[in-house]
Amino acid sequence: MKVSTIKEELNSLAYHGRGIIIGKSADGKKAVTAYFIMGRSENSRNRVFVLEGDAMRTKAFDESKLSDPSLIIYNPFLECGNSDIVTNGDQTDTVFNYVKEHGDDGFSFEKSLHTREFEPDNPNYTPRISAMLNYASGEFNYKLSILKSSDGDPQVCDRYFYSYTP
């Protein structure tokens, strides 16, 4: 089986949407996170990343072309204590606020995302992809979540949670 690079894999797709990549550096000493976005509509393609201190947010590239900010303007990255939160939508704030209020009991990531669903962008119902990287005690582990409509049914949200210790 041929293993392709991330670049080859993404270039093989007609539309790669939004994605999160998490892993370790080649020497295994550092955590690596990448987040990318692409848009179907003119409104979705009209955004750029802006760094603000230890956070990242999206903003309209051309404010005059911004038609609906609700699904395209958000914080895709926030630091929270010994953790980094990376998501493809405004659920970054949901996870951040829940952990800040309740602490991280090992399940705060999952609990916070049980208050959310996929995006209400009919007919796509874009899945909400979220990750939380934890660096406590010099260790590195992370969690991923996907919240998506069940076979395109907007009445049902399938929730998937994964935990990794690389």
Side-chain angles (χ1 to χ4, degrees):
M1 177 173 154
K2 181 183 180 261
V3 176
S4 60
T5 66
I6 293 167
K7 180 180 178 181
E8 291 170 338
E9 188 66 29
L10 291 175
N11 284 337
S12 74
L13 303 171
Y15 176 75
H16 34 80
R18 294 180 258 177
I20 298 171
I21 300 170
I22 299 171
K24 285 188 172 182
S25 59
D27 64 7
K29 295 181 180 179
K30 296 180 182 165
V32 177
T33 304
Y35 173 64
F36 57 88
I37 54 176
M38 197 175 173
R40 291 182 193 94
S41 68
E42 181 179 1
N43 192 50
S44 289
R45 290 189 300 270
N46 181 32
R47 60 184 159 184
V48 293
F49 294 120
V50 177
L51 285 174
E52 291 183 344
D54 293 333
M56 182 190 325
R57 69 177 178 86
T58 59
K59 74 171 224 150
F61 177 75
D62 183 344
E63 294 286 338
S64 70
K65 293 182 179 178
L66 182 62
S67 60
D68 178 8
S70 66
L71 295 176
I72 69 162
I73 306 299
Y74 55 89
N75 295 311
F77 175 86
L78 292 172
E79 285 187 17
C80 186
N82 291 323
S83 299
D84 292 336
I85 302 163
V86 183
T87 82
N88 72 337
D90 67 2
Q91 72 271 23
T92 312
D93 293 338
T94 301
V95 175
F96 179 87
N97 291 332
Y98 191 96
V99 172
K100 279 293 202 190
E101 183 176 337
H102 301 282
D104 188 6
D105 63 0
F107 295 100
S108 293
F109 176 74
E110 294 85 348
K111 289 175 184 175
S112 68
L113 290 169
H114 271 86
T115 68
R116 301 301 303 267
E117 291 188 345
F118 48 86
E119 293 186 359
D121 60 340
N122 182 16
N124 303 308
Y125 304 114
T126 301
R128 291 195 187 269
I129 305 168
S130 307
M132 187 165 158
L133 295 75
N134 185 333
Y135 307 100
S137 306
E139 297 294 319
F140 169 57
N141 60 64
Y142 61 96
K143 297 178 177 191
L144 288 171
S145 170
I146 302 172
L147 310 178
K148 59 184 274 181
S149 66
S150 185
D151 294 322
D153 180 352
Q155 301 302 312
V156 181
C157 181
D158 292 336
R159 301 169 188 283
Y160 301 94
F161 294 94
Y162 307 91
S163 296
Y164 300 92
T165 303

